Amino acid sequence: MALVLTEEQVMLKESAAGLLAEKAGVAQLRALRDADDALGFAPDVWRDIAGMGWPGIAIPESYGGLGYGYIGLGLVLEQAGRHLSPVPLQSTVLLGATLLNALGSEAQKQALLAPLAAGELHVTLALQEGPLHAPEDTALKAEADGAGYRLHGSKCLVLDALAAQQFVVIARTSGEPGDSAGLTAFLVPADAAGLTVERRSLVDARGVGALQLDAVQVPADAVLGDVDGAWDGLSRSLDIAYIGLAAELLGIASEAFERTVGYLKERKQFGKVIGSFQGLQHRAAELFAELELSRSLVLKALQAIDADDPQLPVLASAAKAKLCEVAQRATNEGIQMHGGIGMTDEYDIGFFIKRARVAQHCFGDYNYHLDRFARLSGF
Amino acid sequence: MSDLEKFRADTRAWLEENCPPAMREPVRGFDDLYMGGRNPEVDHPDQQVWCQRMAERGWTVPHWPREYGGGGLNKEEAKILQQEMARIGARRPLESFGISMLGPALLKFGTEAQKQEHLPPICRGEIRWCQGYSEPNAGSDLASLQTRAEDRGDHYLINGQKVWTSYADKADWIFCLVRTDNSGSKHEGISFVLFDMASEGVTTRPIKLISGSSPFCETFFDNVRAEKRNLVGEEGKGWAIAKYLLTHEREMISGFGTAPKKSLGSVAVETYGADASGRLRNGILRHTIAQYQLDALAFGATMSRVGDEAKAGQGLGAASSIFKYYGTELNKRRNELNLAIGGEPALGWDGDVYEGGATSRDWLRSKGNSIEGGTSEVQLNIIAKRVLGLPD
Ligand SMILES: Cc1cc2nc3c(=O)[nH]c(=O)nc-3n(C[C@H](O)[C@H](O)[C@H](O)COP(=O)(O)OP(=O)(O)OC[C@H]3O[C@@H](n4cnc5c(N)ncnc54)[C@H](O)[C@@H]3O)c2cc1C
Ligand SMILES: Cc1cc2nc3c(=O)[nH]c(=O)nc-3n(C[C@H](O)[C@H](O)[C@H](O)COP(=O)(O)OP(=O)(O)OC[C@H]3O[C@@H](n4cnc5c(N)ncnc54)[C@H](O)[C@@H]3O)c2cc1C
């Protein structure tokens, strides 16, 4: 597939840039943070976004979505990265819709995807249990109990946990932590008895939480997909999530870089703009090169989702690892090249490094994905 | 028993008896350091007890002369004190810009009266100092500073603005670079003056850092009076003093680069697990941690080598020019690794589960290390030009 955007995709990218810049930019993130907002996003902005159809961007038209595919969602996520948009796109759209689509039965999809596409339903994944992304290590137990299941355990890093009406909880129904077999996905409503949703606060000031499940009872039809057989759908959904986060990181890194280059052209020391010092010029030029590689890799990986390419897993880890590396470098350079002002909270560049590290960590950091890339590449 | 052995035994016994248990707990981040001053920030009452007991022996600044409130210890004794404190995990009783920056400059350039007036209160933790160097248009190009000092006979009248002045809102006095003459080159006409931050006409506006705390400020001077007896060195010759002081500041900052007590590798094994032969499970992270630990080891050895060469009378070698650059870059690497190794909890910002965000806040604060006291780029320019002799 040609690595260029179609006219339709370019228009989508531009409308995303416009709306997010105006309604969900760094200023809004700052305001939500300063107000200590528990939700971490503004519901009325989400309604505007829903009005554009973005929650259903990758949902097939037959289920009420736009059917633009993941290249479309990737473009929106990149813009969300550029503007550090505090919106539940990663939780509900990238993960929620993808998981429902990958694992849900026809009836579940019919029931859930349309309200999700309309922006009325928030669904988020509850996967991580320890400090790191390690999906096979899932230990949270689900025991058969009468006609349904009973769930015990805890989850952390649940994105937009306080907004979610439904959680996709990954639980172990057989086998041992470390096995990819024996995992089952359950739909657990936020008001289930025995479920506690606790707000957590991370450096990026976005909505996130932890779950505690004490004998949470769910019926048999809460199972998404097959009992003991969540792995294939989960790992495909995770591959998609890795790429979506890579797209967001591309936006973060590009914006941090462009703001920094802008500053190099403006700030004067020793009687000239600091951008005239070759020590800084070369580092900026190198970053430019890295960002160009990053952009190609993200687009290639996004195309692999829509094309059902068997290379998806390796491209997913390649994209996430590369963007973790480049976003780390771009945000670090962003602060360093700004000097003292870069260390201040009043200036925006610090928001980029904070969101970057959380997005880097989410669903596997550089170390996880470079290692996985090597493994999937056969060495 | 030799004198040094006796000194060690006495020191050990005294520390055992006098160091409060709370002061043997590791410091939790920057904000947990005791800085003294007229209105000290006290997180734990034992901070003051400990500072006072140590100050009575001159051990808040062990190597300064006794007549100025120091401990008068020679290098060997100071090293023993340090070792004995480390043995029980005793915190340093007092951290301050007076000790790490102003003191060395006054000892070298101050008059006897200035030393008598200003050094003992530094040792006792009574007066807290801040550094008025940077201005909005004079950062890396410090010598272009424009804060004016007008000669009014027995005093100067100071007008202008400083920025990024760490702890200006909490400090009692400032050591400040001002321009007394604009007619020559930019390095001429700079003077080094001291004045009380409670003086009329001084205002500060705290600036919040990305790590959430507010240690630095914008500092404004509107017709502030500074007595001429508080001019250090000659009028217009402050640049040499400013630079001498910077070497001490940089030495302090590069100390952040020394390796932590517990190796990052062993911390990582706790979260990631190890294979049967004890290797960290993630080979990529293992490689990065190993590189860091190796460089931290080599950096520590370089600091020791340069120190030993200086003691042996060989002077401060060219290697010392890399300290500030290398030490702060290492500290940033260590903090990035803390995030990677710690995972989700390390990204915490608030709340008990995250220890108030200790790891992430330290990580963010470490980004400033390669900016404050002269950026890494400025350090590299110095190495390239002064050490390697490369032209402009
Ligand atoms: C394999 C090979 C094939 C070549 N083929 C051709 C050919 O087909 N036709 C042809 O005309 N030439 C050719 N060259 C020559 C090549 O273009 C020059 O070597 C190159 O332009 C560098 O010039 P120089 O050797 O004079 O090195 P210098 O210009 O002296 O450079 C020495 C070092 O200084 C650095 N440097 C120089 N200026 C700057 C600056 N402004 N900022 C930062 N660093 C700087 C350089 O990067 C280099 O590291 C070839 C060279 C090689 C190695
Ligand atoms: C946490 C913190 C605490 C501080 N505390 C104090 C304090 O107590 N008192 C005080 O006076 N100051 C303090 N400072 C200020 C500090 O000394 C300055 O921030 C620093 O000197 C850089 O100046 P600047 O911020 O104006 O950056 P600039 O000089 O504008 O630098 C911006 C970027 O340009 C680069 N650059 C500039 N010139 C060159 C060149 N010739 N070649 C290559 N690159 C170049 C810099 O390295 C940097 O990356 C503090 C700063 C920080 C971050």
Side-chain angles (χ1 to χ4, degrees):
Chain A
M1 202 185 291
L3 287 163
V4 290
L5 297 181
T6 64
E7 218 170 288
E8 189 186 52
Q9 287 163 348
V10 172
M11 273 168 58
L12 172 65
K13 179 174 174 161
E14 281 164 6
S15 70
L19 189 142
L20 295 174
E22 187 199 330
K23 299 201 164 150
V26 189
Q28 284 84 0
L29 172 62
R30 182 187 286 280
L32 289 163
R33 181 200 68 175
D34 292 347
D36 196 24
D37 189 278
L39 212 51
F41 67 90
D44 57 327
V45 172
W46 182 247
R47 273 191 293 278
D48 292 339
I49 286 176
M52 307 289 288
W54 299 345
I57 203 161
I59 294 175
E61 282 168 295
S62 51
Y63 298 111
L66 289 184
Y68 273 20
Y70 283 93
I71 298 180
L73 178 55
L75 294 172
V76 174
L77 284 168
E78 182 188 338
Q79 293 307 317
R82 271 192 180 272
H83 299 289
L84 301 181
S85 305
V87 284
L89 278 169
Q90 292 81 351
S91 54
T92 290
V93 185
L94 179 61
L95 283 151
T98 302
L99 284 157
L100 291 175
N101 206 29
L103 285 162
S105 65
E106 190 53 35
Q108 286 166 329
K109 289 196 225 179
Q110 289 290 356
L112 297 168
L113 286 176
L116 194 153
E120 291 153 11
L121 174 67
H122 290 288
V123 179
T124 189
L125 172 66
L127 172 65
Q128 190 161 321
E129 295 175 12
L132 304 164
H133 177 63
E136 294 94 331
D137 289 350
T138 297
L140 184 140
K141 258 202 145 38
E143 292 162 324
D145 181 49
Y149 291 86
R150 211 167 38 194
L151 278 60
H152 307 268
S154 61
K155 295 286 185 183
C156 64
L157 201 69
V158 180
L159 307 181
D160 297 309
L162 274 82
Q165 288 114 307
Q166 298 274 355
F167 297 97
V168 177
V169 176
I170 306 301
R172 184 158 290 289
T173 35
S174 71
E176 296 296 323
D179 301 342
S180 58
L183 297 178
T184 306
F186 291 91
L187 262 181
V188 178
D191 58 3
L195 172 66
T196 319
V197 182
E198 191 192 325
R199 182 182 170 204
R200 290 284 170 87
S201 127
L202 299 182
V203 283
D204 64 346
R206 293 282 293 271
V208 68
L211 306 187
Q212 181 65 44
L213 292 88
D214 289 314
V216 171
Q217 195 79 38
V218 293
D221 65 5
V223 173
L224 271 181
D226 298 330
V227 173
D228 286 348
W231 184 253
D232 288 351
L234 174 64
S235 67
R236 177 173 162 84
S237 301
L238 286 174
D239 281 333
I240 292 172
Y242 303 151
I243 297 166
L245 283 161
E248 184 196 344
L249 284 163
L250 175 63
I252 296 172
S254 303
E255 181 70 20
F257 174 71
E258 286 165 27
R259 286 177 184 228
T260 304
V261 171
Y263 191 71
L264 295 187
K265 293 176 181 168
E266 180 187 298
R267 168 71 172 166
K268 279 194 177 148
Q269 284 290 275
F270 303 100
K272 29 184 148 162
V273 292
I274 56 174
S276 60
F277 301 125
Q278 204 173 55
L280 302 183
Q281 285 179 346
H282 282 190
R283 276 153 55 195
E286 283 176 0
L287 251 174
F288 172 77
E290 292 291 352
L291 281 163
E292 290 301 315
L293 297 197
S294 299
R295 180 168 302 285
S296 317
L297 207 46
V298 168
L299 183 55
K300 198 171 162 62
L302 285 166
Q303 288 181 347
I305 307 174
D306 291 334
D308 239 334
D309 187 331
Q311 290 285 74
L312 178 67
V314 73
L315 286 172
S317 276
K320 183 80 201 290
K322 186 71 190 169
L323 268 296
C324 283
E325 176 206 333
V326 174
Q328 178 154 326
R329 184 160 162 191
T331 51
N332 279 342
E333 290 285 44
I335 291 191
Q336 180 65 25
M337 292 192 189
H338 276 85
I341 202 169
M343 284 297 291
T344 65
D345 185 67
E346 281 166 54
Y347 207 75
D348 285 343
I349 197 80
F351 280 79
F352 288 83
I353 200 170
K354 291 173 180 177
R355 175 60 195 164
R357 289 305 178 282
V358 176
Q360 286 171 238
H361 170 79
C362 273
F363 308 108
D365 67 358
Y366 175 76
N367 299 308
Y368 177 88
H369 285 290
L370 194 61
D371 188 64
R372 183 170 181 261
F373 173 76
R375 242 181 320 114
L376 294 173
S377 305
F379 62 97
Chain B
M1 205 190 278
S2 75
D3 285 353
L4 282 181
E5 280 164 2
K6 180 165 179 346
F7 177 77
R8 185 184 292 280
D10 292 348
T11 300
R12 182 173 294 191
W14 186 88
L15 287 173
E16 270 306 347
E17 194 160 322
N18 288 282
C19 182
M23 295 297 103
R24 304 182 192 198
E25 299 289 325
V27 177
R28 283 166 289 108
F30 256 72
D31 293 341
D32 201 25
L33 300 173
Y34 183 65
M35 310 250 195
R38 288 176 190 143
N39 305 298
E41 297 168 279
V42 185
D43 296 325
H44 192 292
D46 283 348
Q47 287 178 319
Q48 282 176 300
V49 173
W50 179 223
C51 180
Q52 197 196 338
R53 286 181 187 164
M54 287 289 273
E56 277 164 15
R57 316 202 95 197
W59 284 1
T60 49
V61 198
H63 58 283
W64 285 6
R66 290 203 67 89
E67 67 259 43
Y68 306 130
L73 302 189
N74 62 33
K75 287 223 164 78
E76 285 78 17
E77 290 165 337
K79 191 160 185 180
I80 288 173
L81 173 59
Q82 207 178 25
Q83 287 167 345
E84 290 303 315
M85 285 174 66
R87 198 184 65 86
I88 60 167
R91 294 182 181 190
R92 287 209 296 228
L94 179 66
E95 308 275 345
S96 79
F97 294 170
I99 296 176
S100 55
M101 297 192 224
L102 178 64
L106 277 185
L107 284 168
K108 189 170 166 83
F109 296 98
T111 62
E112 188 53 34
Q114 287 170 338
K115 293 181 204 175
Q116 291 289 356
E117 180 180 351
H118 295 297
L119 295 179
I122 290 176
C123 297
R124 293 193 297 266
E126 288 166 2
I127 294 293
R128 181 170 175 178
W129 288 83
C130 65
Q131 176 189 33
Y133 276 32
S134 306
E135 297 178 6
N137 292 312
S140 295
D141 184 13
L142 179 61
S144 65
L145 62 96
Q146 290 302 334
T147 293
R148 298 265 315 144
E150 224 178 289
D151 191 332
R152 291 294 178 94
D154 62 343
H155 68 276
Y156 295 105
L157 208 58
I158 298 179
N159 281 287
Q161 185 197 342
K162 296 288 172 181
V163 75
W164 322 133
T165 328
S166 294
Y167 309 113
D169 54 336
K170 302 190 171 117
D172 307 308
W173 277 66
I174 185 167
F175 48 94
C176 194
L177 295 180
V178 295
R179 188 158 292 287
T180 38
D181 183 1
N182 235 333
S183 60
S185 84
K186 65 181 179 181
H187 295 102
E188 292 160 22
I190 292 174
S191 298
F192 191 107
V193 293
L194 316 174
F195 52 89
D196 194 320
M197 289 292 279
S199 308
E200 206 170 311
V202 178
T203 46
T204 58
R205 185 182 79 86
I207 306 173
K208 201 155 94 174
L209 284 177
I210 55 175
S211 54
S213 56
S214 302
F216 65 21
C217 295
E218 279 182 300
T219 307
F220 302 91
F221 308 126
D222 178 16
N223 288 329
V224 175
R225 183 186 168 109
E227 301 305 325
K228 275 205 174 154
R229 68 185 161 82
N230 282 320
L231 169 73
V232 181
E234 277 177 59
E235 184 181 287
K237 296 278 186 324
W239 184 245
I241 306 171
K243 280 199 303 182
Y244 177 80
L245 184 142
L246 276 175
T247 60
H248 285 271
E249 176 179 11
R250 288 168 184 167
E251 193 180 300
M252 168 192 69
I253 298 172
S254 48
F256 301 153
T258 44
K261 289 248 151 47
K262 192 162 180 186
S263 97
L264 291 185
S266 60
V267 177
V269 164
E270 287 165 22
T271 25
Y272 280 77
D275 69 12
S277 61
R279 286 177 194 212
L280 183 64
R281 205 172 264 147
N282 184 298
I284 310 292
L285 181 62
R286 181 170 182 263
H287 175 94
T288 315
I289 295 176
Q291 278 182 323
Y292 163 76
Q293 289 197 185
L294 189 158
D295 288 339
L297 176 73
F299 181 65
T302 307
M303 301 251 284
S304 303
R305 173 169 68 87
V306 170
D308 291 346
E309 284 169 359
K311 249 184 266 173
Q314 297 174 14
L316 205 58
S320 64
S321 66
I322 70 166
F323 286 173
K324 195 318 173 147
Y325 163 70
Y326 212 95
T328 57
E329 296 297 329
L330 263 180
N331 194 41
K332 290 194 297 181
R333 279 164 67 185
R334 178 168 64 84
N335 274 280
E336 288 289 352
L337 280 167
N338 282 343
L339 280 200
I341 294 166
E344 187 262 355
L347 291 164
W349 181 253
D350 257 336
D352 290 345
V353 274
Y354 300 132
E355 294 174 342
T359 309
S360 67
R361 289 168 191 261
D362 276 359
W363 159 71
L364 286 163
R365 180 61 185 81
S366 74
K367 300 298 175 200
N369 296 161
S370 52
I371 298 169
E372 59 202 310
T375 65
S376 278
E377 290 75 17
V378 165
Q379 301 307 308
L380 292 172
N381 285 344
I382 292 172
I383 297 171
K385 289 173 191 161
R386 305 273 161 68
V387 181
L388 305 179
L390 299 170
D392 257 322

